[in-house]
Amino acid sequence: MSDASTPDSVEPDHEHEHRHEGPGYATPQAAIEEGEREKLAYVMSLYVGTDVDAPDFVSVVDLDPDSDTYCEIVDRIELPNRGDELHHFGWNACSSSCHMEGLERRHLIVPGQRSSRIHVLDAQDRRNPELETVIEPEEVFEYDLSAPHTVHCIPDGEILISMLGDADGELPGGFLELNEDFEIEGRWEPPGEIEMNYDYWYQPRQNVMVSSEWAAPETYYPGFDLEDVEAGNYGQRLHFWDWEAGTVEQTIDLGEEGLIPLEVRFLHTPESTHGFVGAALSSNIFHFWRDESAADGDGAYRAEKVIDFESREHDDWDMPVPALPTDILISMDDRYLFGSNWLHGEVWMYDISDPSNPRRADSLSVGGTFGEVQEVQDRELAAGPQMIQLSLDGERLYWTTSLFSSWDDQFYPEEAERGSVMLKADVDPRKGTMKLDEDFLVDWGECPAGPARAHEIRWPDGDCTSDVWQ
């Protein structure tokens, strides 16, 4: 048994003194108890890879069941250029800044994955955000970086963005830092610390950051090619950083069972060193944790495969179809791990009360290649569950269906013709069950300019995939 199963290793530290004067919540438990039910969602919406010649936009979706516009896109913030490929985004401040008096969770940082253009939206009016400023690609390229991905705020009000390529779309990637006035501060890390980059999460009380690997933009932009896997062009490693120094302290090679480690999450409890990463191509979930007894007592991180989704045979495929778990998240109480198997068409939840031995709690088979539910409200689904977001109280799981435009076109070409959808499951965290809410459907196939794709989801006042605690 590893120390991961030590019950007190994931218990919240209620002894930590909080002087809560800034944005967010003092603790994850406060987010659960004080956070209101989500009434709006911001959703990345894009036309890249479709026949619609229009700029990408940010959708504001009404999630208030008492509203006349429930399940409707009530505002679209159109961006000034075409072809950005909006992907992931984040806030200028979250609960990690809860000690910073005067700082607000007000601005959305919205990068373009393909353009490397970074947009800043003022969301003071939660229902009608406005574009405030744009950092043009040429400004980003000056730091030999491109392809912005994960956006996290830093506790002192600055913003850190993982960048997947250099200025030419090749390796290595790195991290770009913005100051609180949304100006480029520079590269966060000394160049050369890593080759590949993708998602990251930090745990400031443990002085650690973990980052994962996708590939060079020039590799994944055109679509997926098995020859790139055989050539070693996709990642399979985790990097553990000294958070204050910005340097890599340890790298773990996950091997062939850890190919393409994408979304990476620490538990919300700031004392915890436990976390999970989904290896998309290998269709595995790894648990990682700091083993204090390792390395002659100085401690080191370990990683171990704890969930394995088996490939399935399909008449239309000449090889077994991998599950492709492309997104994972941890409930705010750190009890459940949720995820999406985009190709199989499945959303799932595992009880991670013992993080080294996750226990499957429930799943839904919807959309994708094998989903038992292939239409909702007579609307045929064109792809499987992809980006997920959970309510702060853990009782509502939402998801969209677009992964990346060129990958969508390769595996689910009808997504470009029909557009994405947003679906929802009602979750009972006490019983560990989920039920598809067939009364809930948001349809990007009905957008005024034509069908659009929908990707990452955020709540206006914090969520399970963007809030970090000090």
Side-chain angles (χ1 to χ4, degrees):
M1 178 182 293
S2 73
D3 72 347
S5 59
T6 304
D8 62 3
S9 64
V10 294
E11 285 295 319
D13 178 4
H14 297 294
E15 301 302 318
H16 180 71
E17 183 179 351
H18 276 283
R19 183 171 51 84
H20 182 197
E21 297 176 341
Y25 306 94
T27 64
Q29 186 62 32
I32 296 170
E33 296 176 359
E34 298 169 12
E36 297 181 354
R37 176 180 173 134
E38 66 287 350
K39 293 184 178 178
L40 293 173
Y42 302 130
V43 183
M44 293 293 91
S45 308
L46 57 148
Y47 282 117
V48 175
T50 74
D51 292 333
V52 179
D53 183 22
D56 296 348
F57 57 97
V58 178
S59 294
V60 181
V61 178
D62 188 339
L63 300 180
D64 182 357
D66 296 325
S67 168
D68 292 338
T69 53
Y70 181 51
C71 294
E72 294 182 14
I73 298 172
V74 293
D75 192 23
R76 296 174 182 79
I77 302 93
E78 287 197 3
L79 301 180
N81 297 277
R82 288 167 168 73
D84 284 315
E85 180 122 25
L86 302 186
H87 196 63
H88 286 223
F89 66 130
W91 287 101
N92 67 307
C94 73
S95 294
S96 72
S97 307
C98 72
H99 303 81
M100 295 291 291
E101 185 177 2
L103 198 60
E104 296 180 74
R105 192 201 310 256
R106 171 171 167 173
H107 289 91
L108 286 166
I109 316 303
V110 182
Q113 230 292 316
R114 284 185 190 268
S115 68
S116 299
R117 187 175 286 109
I118 301 172
H119 313 84
V120 180
L121 273 58
D122 184 344
Q124 183 178 35
D125 181 345
R126 295 308 207 204
R127 203 175 175 91
N128 298 286
E130 296 181 349
L131 179 63
E132 180 169 305
T133 190
V134 178
I135 299 172
E136 295 295 341
E138 293 74 18
E139 300 174 69
V140 174
F141 298 155
E142 287 182 15
Y143 297 89
D144 200 20
L145 292 169
S146 68
H149 191 271
T150 300
V151 178
H152 277 299
C153 64
I154 297 177
D156 63 2
E158 298 187 324
I159 297 142
L160 190 63
I161 306 174
S162 63
M163 309 292 291
L164 275 54
D166 66 11
D168 297 321
E170 300 173 351
L171 297 178
F175 291 88
L176 189 73
E177 186 173 355
L178 309 183
N179 63 27
E180 56 187 311
D181 295 321
F182 313 117
E183 300 164 332
I184 296 178
E185 191 80 5
R187 285 187 78 123
W188 175 76
E189 90 294 4
E193 289 291 300
I194 55 171
E195 283 288 306
M196 295 183 193
N197 202 5
Y198 181 69
D199 193 26
Y200 79 99
W201 194 287
Y202 65 98
Q203 204 66 314
R205 204 177 298 184
Q206 300 292 335
N207 190 34
V208 64
M209 182 180 92
V210 57
S211 65
S212 58
E213 296 185 335
W214 190 3
E218 64 173 1
T219 298
Y220 66 82
Y221 275 179
F224 177 74
D225 188 336
L226 267 177
E227 291 186 1
D228 284 321
V229 179
E230 295 165 358
N233 293 335
Y234 280 104
Q236 58 184 45
R237 297 183 297 177
L238 293 180
H239 306 283
F240 293 89
W241 300 67
D242 183 312
W243 170 242
E244 293 185 358
T247 54
V248 174
E249 295 294 300
Q250 184 185 350
T251 292
I252 296 178
D253 190 328
L254 302 174
E256 292 186 357
E257 293 194 310
L259 276 169
I260 312 187
L262 294 180
E263 315 308 326
V264 60
R265 320 289 188 198
F266 271 116
L267 267 62
H268 298 287
T269 304
E271 297 82 7
S272 179
T273 63
H274 295 267
F276 295 87
V277 62
L281 187 59
S282 301
S283 297
N284 295 320
I285 306 298
F286 279 77
H287 165 226
F288 58 83
W289 74 98
R290 184 174 176 83
D291 180 358
E292 296 297 343
S293 66
D296 298 326
D298 291 335
Y301 274 88
R302 306 288 195 198
E304 184 176 70
K305 185 184 73 171
V306 289
I307 300 173
D308 187 347
F309 297 104
E310 293 187 3
S311 298
R312 300 174 65 176
E313 300 289 340
H314 193 283
D315 291 342
D316 296 337
W317 283 60
D318 56 9
M319 58 177 281
V321 183
L324 215 71
T326 46
D327 195 15
I328 61 170
L329 67 74
I330 296 173
S331 61
M332 197 59 80
D333 63 1
D334 288 337
R335 180 177 176 188
Y336 291 108
L337 178 71
F338 290 84
S340 60
N341 291 349
W342 189 57
L343 286 183
H344 281 190
E346 184 183 40
V347 287
W348 45 262
M349 61 186 292
Y350 276 73
D351 187 327
I352 54 169
S353 301
D354 175 357
S356 62
N357 293 290
R359 180 181 62 81
R360 190 180 183 95
D362 202 2
S363 64
L364 291 174
S365 179
V366 52
T369 308
F370 298 95
E372 294 172 359
V373 177
Q374 285 292 345
E375 62 179 41
V376 174
Q377 299 179 25
D378 298 325
R379 203 295 198 181
E380 194 170 347
L381 307 177
Q386 216 284 113
M387 294 309 295
I388 57 178
Q389 191 54 265
L390 184 70
S391 60
L392 294 176
D393 62 9
E395 296 186 359
R396 292 166 299 283
L397 181 73
Y398 302 80
W399 64 88
T400 56
T401 53
S402 171
L403 173 59
F404 192 71
S405 62
S406 49
W407 293 43
D408 288 351
D409 289 343
Q410 191 171 357
F411 295 100
Y412 293 115
E414 292 182 356
E415 182 88 342
E417 301 167 5
R418 296 180 186 164
S420 297
V421 297
M422 182 175 176
L423 300 176
K424 164 179 168 280
D426 293 318
V427 181
D428 187 335
R430 291 157 291 278
K431 297 179 180 177
T433 57
M434 294 188 291
K435 182 180 180 182
L436 182 66
D437 178 0
E438 299 203 35
D439 293 328
F440 183 94
L441 172 72
V442 185
D443 193 349
W444 271 258
E446 298 178 349
C447 291
R453 308 179 197 273
H455 193 66
E456 194 173 45
I457 306 166
R458 296 237 168 274
W459 309 143
D461 296 306
D463 51 56
C464 296
T465 55
S466 62
D467 270 69
V468 172
W469 277 267
Q470 286 202 69

